[in-house]
């Protein structure tokens, strides 16, 4: 049964973006094609991909095979470090458009800041040009830490959105405060912890049982209830429906505080000052 399509958030330039969409990592082209069509038919309107996922062709195929008009969908993609230059961004954008077989992208993101390369400012200026040209509707960053964002902000450049790893186990309080104060939308990746132990957490299970929901729904509700956008990955239609069905219940302040208290240090967490592609 199709679920109702979810709410949107408004980016700083007025563009409306679905708050919850489908993540596609680590699907290959064939898997992405099936999952994207299925998700759209179930009510998803945002699809999140990246050059690095190597599934943009599959995502495009999934979009073409679905019964929803292109303009009613929101497509995000991201580019790698080799394109961090004013002209490189234009080149990678057109390569993504070709793979997706689309004529515009809704949101184009710098995938990682790669501070060792020190070219993300040029890349961002390249994004501003694409926005002016109308090839993209909104622009932003992914995995930028406060210092990276601050560097753009100091130059008068403000991304519409910064997509980051963020879940009850991985709190990013300093980033969230900065993004909120600057009007940079917050979108989480790996919101379910990608099959790690978070979904088995006893505290999350107690809250899930109380609401008659699944642990995944509690974790997603924690995100959307505080205004974060997110894009959980699932290739399973039942879990796709479950993940989109988080707008019809509310966690109490006490439950939100309990979930907040699960934050911890994760030595495995990728550090954008050390890792990037
Ligand atoms: P599957 O594709 O078989 O549903 P994340 O978005 O945090 O990276 O998490 C994705 C992982 O979580 C995938 O392994 C996905 O598997 C699984 N997953 C997605 N939705 C749910 C759900 N509602 N409950 C449990 N696991 C889920």
């Amino acid at each position: 049964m199709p679920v109702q399509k979810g709410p949107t958030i408004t980016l700083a330039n007025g563009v409306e973006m679905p708050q919850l969409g489908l993540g596609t990592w680590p699907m290959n082209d064939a898997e992405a094609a099936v999952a994207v069509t299925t998700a759209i038919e179930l009510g998803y309107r945002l699809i999140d991909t990246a050059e690095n996922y190597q599934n943009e062709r599959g995502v495009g195929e999934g979009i073409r095979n679905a019964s929803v008009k292109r303009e009613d969908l929101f497509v995000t993609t991201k580019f790698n470090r080799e394109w961090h230059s004013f002209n490189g961004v234009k080149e990678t954008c057109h390569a993504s458009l070709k793979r997706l077989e689309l004529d515009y992208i809704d949101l184009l993101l710098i995938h990682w800041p790669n501070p060792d390369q020190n070219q993300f400012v040029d890349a961002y200026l390249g994004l501003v040009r694409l926005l002016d040209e109308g090839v993209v509707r909104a622009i932003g960053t992914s995995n930028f830490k406060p210092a990276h964002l601050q560097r753009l902000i100091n130059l008068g450049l403000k991304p519409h959105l910064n997509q980051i790893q963020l879940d009850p186990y991985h709190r990013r309080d300093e980033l969230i405060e900065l993004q909120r104060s600057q009007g940079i939308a917050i979108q989480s990746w790996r919101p379910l912890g990608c099959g790690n132990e978070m979904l088995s957490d006893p505290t999350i299970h107690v809250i899930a049982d109380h609401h008659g929901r699944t642990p995944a729904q509690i974790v997603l509700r924690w995100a959307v209830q505080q205004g974060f956008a997110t894009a959980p990955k699932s290739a399973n239609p039942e879990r796709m429906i479950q993940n989109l069905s988080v707008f019809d219940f509310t966690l109490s302040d006490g439950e939100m505080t309990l979930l907040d208290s699960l934050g911890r240090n994760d030595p495995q967490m990728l550090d954008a000052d050390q890792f990037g592609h």
Side-chain angles (χ1 to χ4, degrees):
M1 187 185 60
V3 290
Q4 192 137 29
K5 90 181 180 192
T8 58
I9 62 166
T10 306
L11 303 178
N13 65 343
V15 165
E16 296 265 311
M17 183 184 107
Q19 193 176 5
L20 193 146
L22 182 77
T24 62
W25 185 84
M27 297 176 186
N28 63 25
D29 279 324
E31 291 163 340
V34 174
V36 165
T37 305
T38 305
I40 294 171
E41 300 304 344
L42 289 172
Y44 282 74
R45 293 295 176 266
L46 181 148
I47 310 294
D48 183 282
T49 180
E51 172 193 15
N52 207 60
Y53 303 169
Q54 297 184 34
N55 63 16
E56 288 173 308
R57 285 188 182 81
V59 166
E61 187 185 334
I63 289 171
R64 287 191 299 285
N65 290 340
S67 62
V68 172
K69 293 199 296 271
R70 161 68 184 103
E71 55 268 34
D72 292 331
L73 299 173
F74 192 103
V75 181
T76 302
T77 192
K78 324 179 189 82
F79 57 85
N80 285 342
R81 61 184 276 141
E82 66 187 288
W83 309 107
H84 283 208
S85 65
F86 186 66
N87 289 325
V89 170
K90 187 161 184 162
E91 208 179 318
T92 187
C93 178
H94 284 277
S96 280
L97 287 171
K98 201 165 166 200
R99 288 189 291 268
L100 287 159
E101 294 189 40
L102 295 177
D103 54 14
Y104 68 90
I105 287 165
D106 294 278
L107 176 65
L108 184 58
L109 305 178
I110 303 175
H111 205 148
W112 289 88
N114 294 290
D116 63 308
Q117 187 176 244
N118 197 23
Q119 288 181 178
F120 67 73
V121 172
D122 298 296
Y124 197 81
L125 291 170
L127 282 175
V128 172
R129 170 172 66 179
L130 293 179
L131 190 65
D132 291 343
E133 290 177 353
V135 192
V136 299
R137 296 177 65 226
I139 56 177
T141 55
S142 183
N143 299 302
F144 275 42
K145 292 166 70 173
H148 310 134
L149 282 181
Q150 197 60 58
R151 185 152 165 224
L152 292 177
I153 293 164
N154 291 347
L155 293 166
L157 304 170
K158 212 178 273 185
H160 295 130
L161 177 147
N162 185 37
Q163 185 187 97
I164 53 173
Q165 183 175 7
L166 173 62
D167 60 59
Y169 275 18
H170 300 88
R171 303 265 311 282
R172 311 292 297 275
D173 295 347
E174 190 190 348
L175 248 182
I176 286 163
E177 200 181 317
L178 175 65
Q179 293 193 217
R180 284 209 168 120
S181 71
Q182 294 289 334
I184 301 170
I186 300 157
Q187 187 181 38
S188 61
W189 60 257
R190 201 179 281 176
L192 304 173
C194 199
N196 72 14
E197 77 282 5
M198 187 173 68
L199 294 186
S200 313
D201 188 289
T203 301
I204 297 176
H205 273 256
V206 168
I207 299 173
D209 290 347
H210 175 73
H211 286 275
R213 300 282 173 155
T214 67
Q217 288 177 307
I218 297 305
V219 166
L220 294 172
R221 180 68 207 175
W222 170 88
V224 300
Q225 192 164 313
Q226 50 196 313
F228 305 154
T230 189
K233 175 264 174 185
S234 182
N236 173 305
E238 274 160 28
R239 289 196 282 273
M240 286 179 187
I241 294 174
Q242 202 187 102
N243 295 347
L244 198 51
S245 306
V246 295
F247 297 102
D248 57 349
F249 71 104
T250 304
L251 296 170
S252 69
D253 291 348
E255 288 168 332
M256 290 296 277
T257 304
L258 255 181
L259 291 165
D260 282 343
S261 75
L262 300 178
R264 62 201 60 197
N265 187 36
D266 174 6
Q268 310 284 330
M269 186 174 162
L270 295 174
D271 178 349
D273 281 316
Q274 312 295 334
F275 176 88
H277 50 65

